[in-house]
Amino acid sequence: MTRRETVDVAGVPISYLTAGEGGQLLLLLHGTYWSRVWQPVLDDIAAGGLRPVAIDFPGFGRSGGELTVEQASIPSLSNWLVGFLEALGHTGPVMVAGHDIGGGVAQHLALGGVIEVPRVAVINGTMYDSWPVPGVARFRDPAVAAATTRDDVLAARRVSAVKALGRSASEAELSEYLDPWRDPRVARSWLALAGAADHRYTMEMLPALLKSQMPKLLVWGEDDQFQTIDYAERYAREIPQTRLVRIKSAGHIPMENNPKAVARALTDFFAA
């Protein structure tokens, strides 16, 4: 059922993956990867009665445009989603789940008050001071970013993808994951996201999270070497109305290791 569609947002063609027809809208947000991370779970989420929409942020994946550092921060991407929902023709509440830095964006949108978000999920996402990881943090230096070529980004993304998948992958699968970064525009957008990576954005959300009674779900690959599970365990202890679902033998992208378990956790939570 999975298909790719496009919508115009402020003159920029924005690509997204979706599946099924109708149901409560569930926004699925990526971080340092792209919508491809959600592909393994979309059909099962749709079969559970939800309408999954896995976005490619501007300058990422199959979307047009190009991000600057100012546009690539968690608050900026959260604000951009308001325009995306308007372009999609959606009104009313929206469910949100985010992976990696997208987890920080999802939390920011849920707390922002501009869009009603009844429930939010974070999948191996950024929280507290868990980010940026060293492989991303080095690109925060403008001089390093300026000296980084498209081929440098491709090479760095290959190393990251191999580690994040948490399992063996064919060259064809890796090539599919890496394909967008062959476009220099997309490589520059990734560098902008890396340049904007700053844990102050997640730390600033803590006071509101500690008071929030919104239901929250954490879905975590236990073997993640980027966003380690101890952060999720701390979040589940400290933040009200939070449930942690562990995905065993799974890495940073648990959708690739156990898609059925991830889809089931998300569907049970958001369809409740």
Side-chain angles (χ1 to χ4, degrees):
M1 295 188 289
T2 296
R3 61 192 182 275
R4 185 166 289 281
E5 298 185 358
T6 303
V7 65
D8 184 284
V9 181
V12 177
I14 298 299
S15 180
Y16 61 93
L17 288 172
T18 189
E21 301 292 343
Q24 171 69 50
L25 180 64
L26 171 59
L27 286 185
L28 300 171
L29 311 179
H30 67 79
T32 57
Y33 299 87
W34 56 298
S35 61
R36 174 63 179 79
V37 297
W38 295 107
Q39 186 173 306
V41 299
L42 293 180
D43 282 351
D44 283 345
I45 289 174
L50 297 167
R51 179 193 174 196
V53 170
I55 304 163
D56 281 331
F57 283 122
F60 272 76
R62 307 303 183 197
S63 284
E66 181 178 332
L67 290 179
T68 64
V69 172
E70 292 72 22
Q71 295 167 331
S73 70
I74 277 180
S76 293
L77 292 173
S78 174
N79 292 336
W80 176 87
L81 286 169
V82 176
F84 174 81
L85 288 169
E86 290 176 354
L88 207 61
H90 179 79
T91 57
V94 62
M95 307 291 190
V96 187
H99 174 253
D100 191 84
I101 292 175
V105 179
Q107 293 172 77
H108 191 279
L109 184 70
L111 295 171
V114 177
I115 300 293
E116 182 183 353
V117 180
R119 291 173 173 245
V120 65
V122 177
I123 295 81
N124 289 77
T126 56
M127 54 183 53
Y128 297 109
D129 60 352
S130 70
W131 67 299
V133 298
V136 173
R138 64 193 180 99
F139 295 106
R140 292 186 64 197
D141 183 337
V144 172
T148 302
T149 68
R150 182 211 67 167
D151 289 344
D152 292 334
V153 172
L154 261 176
R157 293 283 76 204
R158 172 179 283 272
V159 172
S160 178
V162 169
K163 190 175 178 181
L165 285 170
R167 57 168 174 75
S168 59
S170 68
E171 186 58 36
E173 185 178 19
L174 282 174
S175 180
E176 180 185 353
Y177 254 94
L178 296 172
D179 183 63
W181 287 291
R182 292 184 172 88
D183 183 340
R185 172 185 58 86
V186 179
R188 290 191 299 267
S189 291
W190 186 88
L191 287 170
L193 187 74
D198 191 332
H199 65 246
R200 70 186 172 95
Y201 297 123
T202 40
M203 294 300 290
E204 286 171 354
M205 288 190 277
L206 272 179
L209 285 170
L210 289 166
K211 297 177 182 178
S212 170
Q213 294 301 313
M214 176 196 313
K216 306 165 196 70
L217 176 69
L218 308 180
V219 180
W220 229 263
E222 288 189 328
D223 301 332
D224 189 354
Q225 299 177 59
F226 295 106
Q227 296 297 317
T228 54
I229 197 166
D230 55 305
Y231 281 99
E233 292 169 338
R234 177 186 169 189
Y235 193 106
R237 287 194 307 269
E238 295 181 351
I239 306 302
Q241 299 295 319
T242 300
R243 178 178 172 233
L244 170 61
V245 174
R246 299 166 178 267
I247 307 296
K248 296 183 181 300
S249 302
H252 185 58
I253 311 176
M255 294 78 79
E256 292 285 1
N257 305 116
N258 194 337
K260 293 292 185 183
V262 173
R264 183 168 57 250
L266 293 174
T267 301
D268 289 349
F269 176 69
F270 285 113

